[in-house]
Amino acid sequence: MTDEPQQPDYNDPETLKKLRERQSSRAKVMGLGLVALVILFYLITVVKIGMT
Amino acid sequence: MDAKTITQAAQHAGQLASPDYVAADWRDFYALTKPRVMSLVIFTALCGLLAAPGDIHPVIGFTAILCIALGAGGSAALNQWYEADIDAGMKRTAQRPLPAGRMQRDSALHFGIGLSALSVFIMGVAVNWLSAGILAFSIFFYAVVYTMWLKPNTPQNIVIGGAAGAFPPVIGWAAVMNEVTLLPILLFALIFIWTPPHFWALALFMKSDYAKVGIPMMPVVAGEKATRRQIFWYSLALLAVAAAPFALGLAGWIYGLPAIVLSLVFLMLATKVGFRQENDPARMKPEKQLFAFSILYLFVIFTVLVADRLAASGVLA
């Protein structure tokens, strides 16, 4: 039913290039997510302090 | 292959990566959260939040909705992690990231657990622990009770599992009020009763897909005739539940009139489906109409409820 785990050939320049592109785009999205969380936590803190 | 064998195979499979797999794209992680389902979750949660007769700071309100969305995304990822093999066998789901081989199973599991835990934690710290507790329970209910236990084992899967999708307006309400009263319970009941006719209408014209992967959906197990009758009875109950907020004085005419009219249209479509005989999916126009209308129904009924509550509180005056 399921495929056996596949190991890509990272010695292949095309595969390596594709891997780096994916890693780069994922890192950028993760970075944006973290920045958004930092801003959100900052705003929550300001609001919570204001409430007390 | 029966459902149990499929789920066992899914449990023991390490990953489903295809031969040309390199690394999952961020879009695959996004797809894992079932964005279309999430939009309905966000909408009903927002309606619960706006219908609550209390004040919430916009930043805290935004955080509550964000947490509900993240929780829904996390539980959807866990659902797809567990059901990867079943998804692979159905045309409708075969192109999801896991069955299509664009992502490793462990990545989906870690992503689902991480997103779920983060959503509950932020909700508890920033909003309140009652809404965080209900959110945690709803994630557990969808990912474990529904996905792992009910869905592969009983044709009542949709009936009981529908509760998982009914929590968002309750969480939205609890985020504002820090308590749960009768109106959010009625909103819960509305989605709970709406879910079976909505899904069974889909299951009628997707029956072969579900049968192929061994999921005991009602039309597969109890037959089409019994499913059609059930659709009718649930739609009748839906009319009563939808009218209840108005009848009990919890909502006014702005909600009451459209809710009753829409529920009568729903019942009319369900009656058409409930008392006909048709086995050919290609000729199931009334079933497709009911399915499409059921989505519109939920959006409109929640919208008019919010309009009614805002009008009552003077916001729309």
Side-chain angles (χ1 to χ4, degrees):
Chain A
M1 184 72 189
T2 55
D3 296 335
E4 283 298 309
Q6 300 289 331
Q7 190 64 42
D9 178 14
Y10 291 119
N11 291 320
D12 175 30
E14 276 301 306
T15 306
L16 197 62
K17 191 182 166 212
K18 206 172 164 187
L19 175 71
R20 293 288 177 243
E21 280 171 5
R22 288 271 167 92
Q23 285 176 331
S24 169
S25 71
R26 275 168 58 170
K28 280 175 193 161
V29 172
M30 180 78 91
L32 283 173
L34 287 173
V35 169
L37 271 182
V38 168
I39 294 169
L40 182 68
F41 287 154
Y42 172 74
L43 291 174
I44 290 169
T45 308
V46 170
V47 170
K48 289 274 179 188
I49 290 171
M51 281 174 177
T52 53
Chain B
M1 184 182 284
D2 62 23
K4 214 168 188 174
T5 318
I6 289 170
T7 46
Q8 278 170 353
Q11 281 168 332
H12 292 113
Q15 61 175 353
L16 287 169
S18 67
D20 60 347
Y21 169 81
V22 176
D25 192 79
W26 68 268
R27 292 173 194 84
D28 292 324
F29 285 96
Y30 177 67
L32 216 54
T33 62
K34 296 189 184 175
R36 273 168 61 187
V37 176
M38 198 199 275
S39 65
L40 196 62
V41 167
I42 291 172
F43 176 74
T44 55
L46 186 64
C47 289
L49 187 138
L50 292 173
D55 292 323
I56 188 167
H57 192 284
V59 171
I60 306 298
F62 171 80
T63 307
I65 298 298
L66 180 72
C67 289
I68 295 168
L70 292 179
S75 56
L78 291 172
N79 168 277
Q80 289 185 57
W81 161 74
Y82 192 78
E83 291 188 339
D85 278 23
I86 296 172
D87 285 347
M90 295 202 291
K91 205 165 68 182
R92 186 173 65 88
T93 53
Q95 284 312 307
R96 286 177 175 173
L98 284 171
R102 299 196 304 273
M103 182 186 282
Q104 289 184 330
R105 285 185 72 118
D106 282 353
S107 302
L109 175 65
H110 299 154
F111 180 66
I113 292 174
L115 218 53
S116 303
L118 185 73
S119 68
V120 173
F121 175 74
I122 299 176
M123 183 72 108
V125 172
V127 185
N128 61 54
W129 285 102
L130 176 66
S131 50
I134 306 171
L135 179 63
F137 182 73
S138 69
I139 294 169
F140 171 79
F141 197 87
Y142 183 71
V144 178
V145 177
Y146 171 68
T147 303
M148 297 181 190
W149 180 47
L150 292 171
K151 196 171 173 184
N153 292 310
T154 166
Q156 294 297 319
N157 49 21
I158 283 304
V159 179
I160 312 166
F167 280 113
V170 183
I171 304 169
W173 181 286
V176 180
M177 305 302 292
N178 204 12
E179 64 174 2
V180 176
T181 52
L182 184 58
L183 187 58
I185 292 171
L186 286 173
L187 296 181
F188 177 93
L190 185 78
I191 302 178
F192 184 73
I193 300 291
W194 166 89
T195 306
H198 166 74
F199 266 107
W200 285 336
L202 172 77
L204 279 171
F205 58 86
M206 298 291 256
K207 191 176 133 185
S208 55
D209 250 10
Y210 285 113
K212 205 164 67 183
V213 292
I215 292 293
M217 290 297 277
M218 189 68 90
V220 179
V221 177
E224 284 199 14
K225 194 179 171 188
T227 308
R228 289 174 184 279
R229 294 289 187 277
Q230 294 273 334
I231 286 176
F232 172 74
W233 289 117
Y234 270 95
S235 304
L236 200 60
L238 186 65
L239 173 64
V241 174
F246 173 66
L248 295 171
L250 299 169
W253 280 105
I254 296 175
Y255 167 81
L257 191 64
I260 291 168
V261 171
L262 284 167
S263 300
L264 283 171
V265 175
F266 196 111
L267 184 62
M268 194 186 74
L269 291 170
T271 307
K272 219 188 273 182
V273 172
F275 295 96
R276 77 193 288 259
Q277 281 185 317
E278 181 58 68
N279 292 318
D280 181 7
R283 295 169 64 183
M284 289 197 182
K285 201 178 167 191
E287 289 76 7
K288 287 172 187 167
Q289 275 178 339
L290 177 63
F291 179 72
F293 180 78
S294 65
I295 297 168
L296 179 75
Y297 172 87
L298 206 65
F299 269 106
V300 177
I301 217 157
F302 270 84
T303 304
V304 291
L305 177 78
V306 171
D308 188 284
R309 300 286 300 188
L310 293 179
S313 64
V315 174
L316 295 182

